[in-house]
Amino acid sequence: MAAPLYTTASGLLFHAGKILILTVGLPARGKTHISRALERYLRWMGVKTQVVSLGDYRRKTLGGAKKLPPDYFTLGEKSPETMALRKMVSDGCEKLIEDFFGAGGQVVIYDANNGSRTTRQALAEKYDKQGIHVIILESVCDNKEIIETNIRNVKISSPDYRGWDPDKAVKDYYERIRDREKSYETVEETTWPFIRIINVGEKIMVNNIRGYLQSRIVFFLMNIHNRPRMIYFARSGQSLIEHSYKADSDLSPAGWEYSERLKEFVVERRAKSLEQNGFDPNDRRLVIWTSTRRRAHHTAWPFLTPTHSTSIPQQLPLVASHLTVPPQSAVARNVVTTDEAGELTETKVTTGSSLKIKVIEKTQMCEINPGVWDGLTPDQARKFYPEEWARFVKDPYAFRAPRAESYHDLSVRLEPILIELEREKEDLLIIGHSSVIRCLLAYLIGLPASEIPAIEIARGDLLEVVPTSYGVHSQAFHFWDGPGRRGEGIDGDGDQEEVGLSRRDETNFYENYAEDTKGKKRMNAVDLGFLSPRIQEGSEEALADGT
């Protein structure tokens, strides 16, 4: 769940004390990916967490590999200069760990090889004497494809290999791995709790894990992977009754047009991104998640039709005569099933298209419930509920209107979706409500909970998020200027408003925007470059990685 609404005298949560996670593994085994993903999840839970990366610290203080002595990464006896440099780096990382714990931090993930049993035993004993719980997290990988992909996508783009020929950089890094393999000692000791992950999520082994927080860490690690994928976010189309939560109205004519345009743009953009990364779009399936609200899952309907349809339903599609149905001969397979989580799944593969699409409706992804404020304007809410309004303005994230949900309630409701998001290996399009997209984006890019209500998600923008080892890389693309983009649409008399206006739908303010004393966070249709908090602090390797 998102940040708990309680505090403790020590600042530590779940009665778990302080925890140090020592990563163990050969280079290019996914340790950094696992560390960053776990850091993101624990911060979402409200646990003060930080990754201390030995590699990042070395590059920050000493520079790239070319600036290091030739025996820095090799086995055997080392020069006094090399020994002094290695000790300076390890001592600096340990100081970062101690400073974070001293400032009230609860979990530190020490991202380093730690391949020597003697080294990790000394570290564990040192921090165990300080009352810190030590967990050893070993990443083992014997899948050559995963190792090769990790080296090419992450390692050779670091400052260590800046200006190198890619093939020569890969060869040099493999030599570094072979040197490490000669001295690497796998985790066999049972003195400390340990977790062993095989092939980044293919298999997991645990030993002596105790307590709620440690169990949540294991649960999360059971659901992650490092398969390349893209995640897209788009708002659902405009509905006939935008201002009513209870109505659950269908798409307006403009909403149906929007859904068709969304399909065209997603297919085009996804194909371009996949081809740039060396993938064939026809070989990968696109999974679409929507809520069970009509305007959400009906926005996904065009993805299930073989060709573009210019005929747009003008009424609620509850009767067959109201639907625009493709010829039966064009549909090869149309299957409605229930997935493992009990969610409704509709999959359609057409002979007229090579697209592989799966649409899943998820009840947890319904928009935030505005309670008694449903249909009210901000002025009306301020007039009829002055005390509640004052509390809402003070803390839009935690405040809950009468018979409504707060953003904290919504974040708790969405936690199972976050786990499924981590587990999903296919390319994913989330067609959702603005309140839901705010929470999911905040999780991926590491925003604090207090800023969730202030994120503005415009209808007509497609957000592309690509998870990487050091965070996420995001871009926003604008594809729609029709009614409903920023509140335009049907006025009180049912007439269509002029396209291009920027008036908000004030009667739906609880869903569409929230006031925040720290200002708005608007998603512009430019390269957003969202990064994890550690990257924003200046990781040179992350910058070189293009993230």
Side-chain angles (χ1 to χ4, degrees):
M1 61 182 173
L5 299 183
Y6 68 89
T7 58
T8 61
S10 64
L12 309 181
L13 303 180
F14 309 116
H15 306 284
K18 297 178 180 180
I19 299 175
L20 173 64
I21 300 175
L22 298 176
T23 68
V24 177
L26 291 166
R29 262 54 178 183
K31 298 186 299 298
T32 296
H33 171 81
I34 294 170
S35 299
R36 299 293 178 183
L38 181 58
E39 177 190 43
R40 180 174 65 235
Y41 178 68
L42 292 177
R43 284 181 172 179
W44 174 262
M45 292 180 65
V47 178
K48 296 177 182 178
T49 307
Q50 179 170 308
V51 171
V52 174
S53 171
L54 185 141
D56 285 352
Y57 185 82
R58 171 184 58 80
R59 283 181 283 270
K60 185 177 180 180
T61 55
L62 303 181
K66 291 184 178 181
K67 298 181 180 180
L68 299 175
D71 61 344
Y72 193 91
F73 293 110
T74 59
L75 291 177
E77 187 175 351
K78 302 186 185 297
S79 66
E81 178 190 7
T82 298
M83 295 294 292
L85 289 176
R86 294 179 70 91
K87 187 176 188 309
M88 183 185 73
V89 171
S90 60
D91 289 348
C93 288
E94 291 179 27
K95 186 177 187 306
L96 290 177
I97 293 172
E98 293 162 4
D99 289 347
F100 183 74
F101 280 135
Q106 185 166 5
V107 176
V108 171
I109 305 168
Y110 187 21
D111 179 15
N113 290 335
N114 292 317
S116 166
R117 186 176 295 113
T118 302
T119 299
R120 57 179 178 259
Q121 180 69 19
L123 280 171
E125 289 179 352
K126 173 182 177 180
Y127 290 102
D128 180 65
K129 291 177 181 178
Q130 299 177 25
I132 296 171
H133 303 286
V134 177
I135 299 176
I136 295 177
L137 173 59
E138 183 178 26
S139 180
V140 178
C141 185
D142 55 13
N143 187 317
K144 295 182 179 179
E145 181 180 351
I146 293 178
I147 297 172
E148 175 87 12
T149 300
N150 193 23
I151 292 175
R152 290 192 175 274
N153 292 347
V154 181
K155 300 303 180 182
I156 67 172
S157 59
S158 75
D160 286 348
Y161 294 103
R162 185 170 295 160
W164 283 53
D165 176 77
D167 292 331
K168 291 183 179 179
V170 170
K171 182 180 178 180
D172 181 81
Y173 201 83
Y174 268 120
E175 292 177 358
R176 188 187 298 185
I177 292 176
R178 282 191 286 271
D179 282 341
R180 294 289 184 183
E181 287 176 338
K182 297 175 183 177
S183 62
Y184 181 77
E185 297 175 298
T186 189
V187 176
E188 295 178 348
E189 61 271 26
T190 58
T191 309
W192 314 102
F194 73 79
I195 305 168
R196 177 177 295 139
I197 300 177
I198 301 174
N199 292 331
V200 196
E202 183 180 291
K203 185 178 180 181
I204 188 168
M205 301 172 62
V206 299
N207 171 68
N208 202 25
I209 296 298
R210 298 180 179 180
Y212 175 78
L213 184 55
Q214 294 186 23
S215 299
R216 294 299 297 182
I217 291 172
V218 173
F219 171 70
F220 176 78
L221 294 175
M222 291 172 65
N223 289 281
I224 65 172
H225 63 88
N226 68 343
R227 176 175 173 173
R229 58 175 176 149
M230 289 175 291
I231 305 172
Y232 295 97
F233 293 91
R235 283 188 58 179
S236 56
Q238 183 193 50
S239 62
L240 292 168
I241 309 176
E242 282 278 276
H243 65 271
S244 177
Y245 170 83
K246 298 176 183 178
D248 190 18
S249 61
D250 202 354
L251 294 176
S252 68
W256 287 107
E257 292 179 9
Y258 169 90
S259 66
E260 292 283 0
R261 179 60 186 138
L262 174 63
K263 173 192 174 181
E264 295 172 1
F265 190 81
V266 168
V267 171
E268 176 185 347
R269 175 61 203 171
R270 176 172 173 263
K272 182 178 179 180
S273 296
L274 289 175
E275 289 170 358
Q276 288 176 345
N277 290 279
F279 297 105
D280 185 352
N282 297 325
D283 294 339
R284 294 167 64 106
R285 183 171 65 172
L286 175 64
V287 177
I288 302 175
W289 291 356
T290 76
S291 75
T292 54
R293 307 283 284 184
R294 286 192 180 95
R295 62 179 173 273
H297 67 81
H298 285 181
T299 303
W301 276 16
F303 289 89
L304 298 176
T305 58
T307 57
H308 173 76
S309 174
T310 57
S311 175
I312 301 168
Q314 301 296 316
Q315 305 179 48
L316 294 177
L318 299 179
V319 183
S321 61
H322 294 159
L323 299 178
T324 303
V325 182
Q328 187 63 32
S329 60
V331 179
R333 185 171 75 252
N334 185 6
V335 183
V336 178
T337 60
T338 303
D339 67 2
E340 296 177 355
E343 302 290 350
L344 179 65
T345 300
E346 182 173 8
T347 305
K348 181 176 288 188
V349 180
T350 65
T351 57
S353 172
S354 58
L355 288 177
K356 299 177 182 179
I357 303 291
K358 180 179 181 180
V359 178
I360 305 176
E361 298 174 21
K362 295 182 176 292
T363 56
Q364 299 101 321
M365 287 178 55
C366 290
E367 74 266 43
I368 192 169
N369 185 344
V372 298
W373 284 3
D374 187 20
L376 297 183
T377 66
D379 289 339
Q380 290 172 333
R382 187 183 297 109
K383 176 181 178 181
F384 299 130
Y385 301 93
E387 295 181 4
E388 289 82 357
W389 179 265
R391 291 165 56 197
F392 166 69
V393 172
K394 184 178 180 180
D395 190 355
Y397 172 78
F399 173 75
R400 181 189 298 117
R403 293 191 289 279
E405 286 182 301
S406 66
Y407 270 94
H408 178 75
D409 297 329
L410 179 60
S411 297
V412 172
R413 165 156 55 95
L414 287 173
E415 187 185 9
I417 299 297
L418 299 180
I419 298 299
E420 292 185 50
L421 187 66
E422 294 285 356
R423 187 169 62 239
E424 182 60 63
K425 296 181 179 180
E426 307 283 354
D427 294 331
L428 181 63
L429 168 62
I430 296 177
I431 300 177
H433 312 281
S434 57
S435 55
V436 172
I437 294 177
R438 287 187 189 107
C439 294
L440 298 180
L441 273 178
Y443 167 74
L444 287 173
I445 66 181
L447 285 179
S450 61
E451 295 186 8
I452 291 177
I455 301 174
E456 294 193 20
I457 309 295
R459 180 178 285 134
D461 287 350
L462 179 72
L463 303 180
E464 181 185 82
V465 179
V466 181
T468 69
S469 293
Y470 282 85
V472 296
H473 176 70
S474 302
Q475 298 182 79
F477 302 94
H478 174 61
F479 68 91
W480 172 260
D481 279 316
R485 172 161 169 77
R486 291 192 183 278
E488 315 89 342
I490 301 171
D491 61 23
D493 299 324
D495 298 327
Q496 195 72 20
E497 292 183 352
E498 184 178 351
V499 175
L501 300 179
S502 298
R503 184 182 64 80
R504 293 184 182 279
D505 180 5
E506 292 189 340
T507 56
N508 197 23
F509 76 94
Y510 198 73
E511 158 70 14
N512 285 336
Y513 75 102
E515 294 184 16
D516 183 31
T517 55
K518 297 182 180 179
K520 303 291 183 188
K521 299 292 181 184
R522 176 168 296 177
M523 305 303 176
N524 296 317
V526 295
D527 187 348
L528 301 179
F530 290 131
L531 306 173
S532 69
R534 287 288 297 159
I535 298 174
Q536 292 175 350
E537 293 173 9
S539 166
E540 295 181 7
E541 178 167 353
L543 295 175
D545 191 31
T547 58

